[in-house]
Amino acid sequence: MRWGLSLQKTGILDISICVVTIVMIILELCFSSIACATEEALLDPATILDNMRKAFSDVYDYQVKVEVRLYRGTADFDTERFLYRFKKPDLIRIDVETPRAGTVLVYPDKNGKVVIRLPGFARFFPLRLSPDHFLLKGFMGQPIDKTDLGLLIENIGHSLDDQPYRTPNIEEQDGNIIIQVIAQDHFREGVITNYRFFIDTKLWLPI
Protein backbone atom coordinates (compact mmCIF):
# COMPACT_ATOMS: atom_id res chain seq x y z
CA MET A 1 0.00 0.00 0.00
CA ARG A 2 2.79 2.41 0.86
CA TRP A 3 4.59 1.62 -2.42
CA GLY A 4 1.38 2.20 -4.40
CA LEU A 5 0.79 5.51 -2.61
CA SER A 6 4.34 6.56 -3.45
CA LEU A 7 3.75 5.80 -7.12
CA GLN A 8 0.54 7.82 -7.09
CA LYS A 9 2.28 10.84 -5.61
CA THR A 10 5.05 10.57 -8.19
CA GLY A 11 2.46 10.55 -10.96
CA ILE A 12 0.79 13.69 -9.57
CA LEU A 13 4.18 15.39 -9.28
CA ASP A 14 5.05 14.53 -12.90
CA ILE A 15 1.73 15.93 -14.09
CA SER A 16 2.26 19.12 -12.07
CA ILE A 17 5.72 19.61 -13.59
CA CYS A 18 4.29 19.13 -17.09
CA VAL A 19 1.52 21.67 -16.43
CA VAL A 20 3.99 24.23 -15.05
CA THR A 21 6.28 23.69 -18.06
CA ILE A 22 3.40 24.19 -20.49
CA VAL A 23 2.29 27.36 -18.69
CA MET A 24 5.85 28.73 -18.82
CA ILE A 25 6.07 28.00 -22.55
CA ILE A 26 2.72 29.74 -23.16
CA LEU A 27 3.82 32.76 -21.11
CA GLU A 28 7.12 32.94 -22.98
CA LEU A 29 5.29 32.85 -26.30
CA CYS A 30 2.90 35.55 -25.10
CA PHE A 31 5.71 37.82 -23.92
CA SER A 32 7.56 37.22 -27.18
CA SER A 33 4.46 38.15 -29.17
CA ILE A 34 3.94 41.27 -27.05
CA ALA A 35 7.58 42.28 -27.55
CA CYS A 36 7.29 41.79 -31.30
CA ALA A 37 4.03 43.74 -31.40
CA THR A 38 5.60 46.55 -29.35
CA GLU A 39 8.61 46.72 -31.67
CA GLU A 40 6.35 46.73 -34.74
CA ALA A 41 4.31 49.59 -33.22
CA LEU A 42 7.50 51.49 -32.39
CA LEU A 43 8.66 51.27 -36.02
CA ASP A 44 5.26 52.02 -37.54
CA PRO A 45 5.58 55.23 -39.64
CA ALA A 46 2.24 56.64 -38.44
CA THR A 47 3.20 56.03 -34.80
CA ILE A 48 6.63 57.62 -35.30
CA LEU A 49 5.11 60.76 -36.85
CA ASP A 50 2.42 61.00 -34.18
CA ASN A 51 5.02 60.75 -31.40
CA MET A 52 7.23 63.42 -33.01
CA ARG A 53 4.33 65.83 -33.51
CA LYS A 54 3.25 65.44 -29.89
CA ALA A 55 6.83 65.96 -28.67
CA PHE A 56 7.32 69.11 -30.76
CA SER A 57 4.02 70.57 -29.53
CA ASP A 58 5.59 70.69 -26.04
CA VAL A 59 8.74 72.49 -27.25
CA TYR A 60 8.85 76.29 -26.76
CA ASP A 61 12.39 76.97 -27.93
CA TYR A 62 15.61 75.11 -28.65
CA GLN A 63 19.13 75.55 -29.96
CA VAL A 64 21.42 73.18 -31.80
CA LYS A 65 24.85 73.20 -33.40
CA VAL A 66 24.60 72.26 -37.07
CA GLU A 67 27.21 71.05 -39.52
CA VAL A 68 26.31 70.66 -43.21
CA ARG A 69 28.66 68.91 -45.64
CA LEU A 70 28.32 68.95 -49.40
CA TYR A 71 30.58 66.34 -50.96
CA ARG A 72 32.29 67.03 -54.26
CA GLY A 73 33.58 63.66 -55.39
CA THR A 74 34.83 60.94 -53.07
CA ALA A 75 36.72 62.95 -50.43
CA ASP A 76 36.43 66.71 -50.99
CA PHE A 77 33.54 68.56 -49.39
CA ASP A 78 32.43 72.07 -48.40
CA THR A 79 31.30 72.69 -44.83
CA GLU A 80 28.84 75.05 -43.17
CA ARG A 81 28.86 75.16 -39.35
CA PHE A 82 26.57 77.35 -37.24
CA LEU A 83 24.57 77.68 -34.03
CA TYR A 84 20.85 77.57 -34.78
CA ARG A 85 18.27 78.99 -32.34
CA PHE A 86 14.49 78.75 -32.71
CA LYS A 87 11.65 80.16 -30.61
CA LYS A 88 7.99 79.58 -31.38
CA PRO A 89 6.17 80.58 -33.38
CA ASP A 90 8.81 81.46 -35.99
CA LEU A 91 11.77 83.40 -34.50
CA ILE A 92 15.13 82.17 -35.87
CA ARG A 93 18.70 83.25 -35.15
CA ILE A 94 21.77 81.77 -36.81
CA ASP A 95 25.32 82.48 -35.63
CA VAL A 96 27.72 81.36 -38.35
CA GLU A 97 31.03 79.71 -37.40
CA THR A 98 32.18 78.80 -40.90
CA PRO A 99 32.68 79.76 -43.69
CA ARG A 100 31.78 83.38 -42.74
CA ALA A 101 32.56 83.41 -39.02
CA GLY A 102 30.84 86.15 -37.05
CA THR A 103 27.88 86.54 -39.42
CA VAL A 104 24.50 86.67 -37.65
CA LEU A 105 21.12 86.10 -39.30
CA VAL A 106 17.85 86.96 -37.56
CA TYR A 107 14.40 86.20 -38.93
CA PRO A 108 11.88 87.78 -39.17
CA ASP A 109 12.02 91.55 -38.78
CA LYS A 110 8.79 93.58 -38.71
CA ASN A 111 8.55 93.30 -42.50
CA GLY A 112 9.18 89.54 -42.66
CA LYS A 113 12.75 89.99 -43.87
CA VAL A 114 15.98 88.33 -42.75
CA VAL A 115 18.37 90.71 -41.03
CA ILE A 116 22.04 89.91 -41.79
CA ARG A 117 24.81 91.38 -39.67
CA LEU A 118 28.26 90.82 -41.16
CA PRO A 119 31.40 90.75 -39.00
CA GLY A 120 33.67 93.74 -38.46
CA PHE A 121 32.76 97.28 -39.41
CA ALA A 122 30.05 96.00 -41.77
CA ARG A 123 27.87 95.04 -38.80
CA PHE A 124 26.76 98.69 -38.58
CA PHE A 125 25.14 98.31 -42.00
CA PRO A 126 22.84 95.28 -41.74
CA LEU A 127 21.33 93.76 -44.85
CA ARG A 128 17.66 92.87 -45.17
CA LEU A 129 16.72 90.11 -47.62
CA SER A 130 13.63 88.02 -48.30
CA PRO A 131 13.73 84.50 -46.75
CA ASP A 132 13.89 82.84 -50.18
CA HIS A 133 16.75 85.00 -51.48
CA PHE A 134 19.34 82.87 -53.25
CA LEU A 135 22.13 84.16 -50.98
CA LEU A 136 20.40 82.61 -47.95
CA LYS A 137 19.66 79.15 -49.26
CA GLY A 138 23.00 77.62 -48.38
CA PHE A 139 24.33 74.51 -50.04
CA MET A 140 21.06 72.56 -50.04
CA GLY A 141 18.69 75.20 -51.39
CA GLN A 142 16.75 75.41 -48.12
CA PRO A 143 15.05 78.76 -47.31
CA ILE A 144 15.79 80.04 -43.81
CA ASP A 145 12.09 80.19 -42.88
CA LYS A 146 11.77 76.46 -43.60
CA THR A 147 14.44 75.14 -41.23
CA ASP A 148 12.71 74.39 -37.90
CA LEU A 149 12.07 70.94 -36.43
CA GLY A 150 8.31 71.21 -36.93
CA LEU A 151 8.74 71.52 -40.68
CA LEU A 152 11.38 68.77 -40.68
CA ILE A 153 8.92 66.42 -38.99
CA GLU A 154 6.31 67.15 -41.66
CA ASN A 155 8.92 66.65 -44.40
CA ILE A 156 9.83 63.26 -42.91
CA GLY A 157 6.14 62.40 -43.21
CA HIS A 158 6.11 63.48 -46.87
CA SER A 159 9.20 61.35 -47.53
CA LEU A 160 7.54 58.29 -45.98
CA ASP A 161 4.40 58.85 -48.08
CA ASP A 162 6.44 59.36 -51.26
CA GLN A 163 7.35 55.73 -52.02
CA PRO A 164 7.55 55.22 -55.80
CA TYR A 165 11.29 54.57 -55.63
CA ARG A 166 11.90 52.18 -52.73
CA THR A 167 10.16 51.05 -49.55
CA PRO A 168 11.62 52.96 -46.57
CA ASN A 169 13.97 51.07 -44.25
CA ILE A 170 13.12 51.72 -40.59
CA GLU A 171 15.10 50.24 -37.70
CA GLU A 172 15.82 50.86 -34.02
CA GLN A 173 19.45 51.11 -32.90
CA ASP A 174 21.03 52.38 -29.67
CA GLY A 175 17.93 54.30 -28.59
CA ASN A 176 17.40 55.90 -31.99
CA ILE A 177 15.02 55.15 -34.82
CA ILE A 178 16.81 55.35 -38.16
CA ILE A 179 14.77 55.99 -41.29
CA GLN A 180 16.40 55.63 -44.68
CA VAL A 181 14.23 56.56 -47.63
CA ILE A 182 14.62 57.67 -51.24
CA ALA A 183 12.13 60.42 -51.99
CA GLN A 184 11.54 63.76 -53.68
CA ASP A 185 13.89 66.41 -52.33
CA HIS A 186 12.18 68.63 -49.76
CA PHE A 187 13.29 71.89 -51.38
CA ARG A 188 14.54 71.16 -54.90
CA GLU A 189 11.86 70.31 -57.41
CA GLY A 190 12.56 67.31 -59.63
CA VAL A 191 15.51 66.14 -57.50
CA ILE A 192 15.52 62.68 -55.89
CA THR A 193 17.37 62.45 -52.57
CA ASN A 194 18.49 59.55 -50.40
CA TYR A 195 17.49 60.71 -46.90
CA ARG A 196 18.64 59.29 -43.58
CA PHE A 197 16.78 60.56 -40.51
CA PHE A 198 17.71 59.86 -36.86
CA ILE A 199 15.00 60.13 -34.19
CA ASP A 200 15.77 59.98 -30.46
CA THR A 201 13.20 57.66 -28.83
CA LYS A 202 13.51 59.48 -25.47
CA LEU A 203 12.91 62.95 -26.87
CA TRP A 204 10.90 61.73 -29.87
CA LEU A 205 12.53 64.45 -31.93
CA PRO A 206 14.86 64.35 -34.95
CA ILE A 207 18.53 64.69 -34.03
Side-chain angles (χ1 to χ4, degrees):
M1 291 292 292
R2 290 181 181 177
W3 183 254
L5 183 60
S6 177
L7 285 175
Q8 188 176 11
K9 287 182 178 180
T10 302
I12 293 173
L13 183 61
D14 290 342
I15 293 172
S16 299
I17 291 173
C18 289
V19 171
V20 170
T21 302
I22 292 171
V23 170
M24 290 179 66
I25 292 172
I26 292 173
L27 288 173
E28 185 177 348
L29 290 172
C30 288
F31 285 131
S32 177
S33 298
I34 292 172
C36 290
T38 303
E39 184 176 357
E40 287 179 4
L42 181 70
L43 301 180
D44 174 64
T47 301
I48 293 171
L49 287 170
D50 187 51
N51 287 338
M52 287 194 293
R53 286 169 178 148
K54 288 178 181 177
F56 186 70
S57 68
D58 295 330
V59 173
Y60 176 67
D61 58 23
Y62 65 89
Q63 68 177 36
V64 59
K65 278 203 168 186
V66 178
E67 181 173 298
V68 179
R69 292 183 177 182
L70 179 64
Y71 284 86
R72 296 181 285 104
T74 56
D76 295 335
F77 58 86
D78 295 319
T79 301
E80 279 189 347
R81 191 179 299 112
F82 52 87
L83 178 64
Y84 178 96
R85 296 184 178 99
F86 177 84
K87 181 180 289 186
K88 285 183 177 179
D90 59 3
L91 183 61
I92 296 169
R93 174 179 170 132
I94 296 175
D95 292 83
V96 179
E97 296 181 6
T98 185
R100 296 168 291 276
T103 301
V104 177
L105 295 83
V106 178
Y107 169 84
D109 68 0
K110 62 181 181 180
N111 297 316
K113 302 285 188 178
V114 181
V115 180
I116 306 170
R117 295 187 177 91
L118 299 173
F121 184 75
R123 71 180 183 275
F124 296 109
F125 304 95
L127 302 174
R128 285 177 167 80
L129 302 175
S130 61
D132 59 352
H133 195 283
F134 74 93
L135 291 176
L136 298 174
K137 290 186 178 181
F139 298 141
M140 301 308 294
Q142 184 173 357
I144 190 173
D145 60 339
K146 294 179 172 61
T147 53
D148 66 90
L149 283 180
L151 183 66
L152 174 58
I153 290 168
E154 296 308 314
N155 283 335
I156 291 174
H158 295 323
S159 294
L160 290 171
D161 291 338
D162 182 22
Q163 300 180 21
Y165 307 101
R166 186 184 300 173
T167 302
N169 181 54
I170 305 175
E171 61 182 3
E172 194 275 336
Q173 182 178 329
D174 299 328
N176 296 321
I177 289 177
I178 303 172
I179 300 174
Q180 187 161 357
V181 57
I182 297 176
Q184 291 283 343
D185 191 273
H186 298 162
F187 304 102
R188 297 175 294 177
E189 187 175 355
V191 176
I192 307 303
T193 300
N194 186 2
Y195 284 109
R196 200 175 187 204
F197 305 109
F198 291 79
I199 300 152
D200 188 308
T201 55
K202 291 182 180 179
L203 299 174
W204 276 113
L205 290 171
I207 56 174

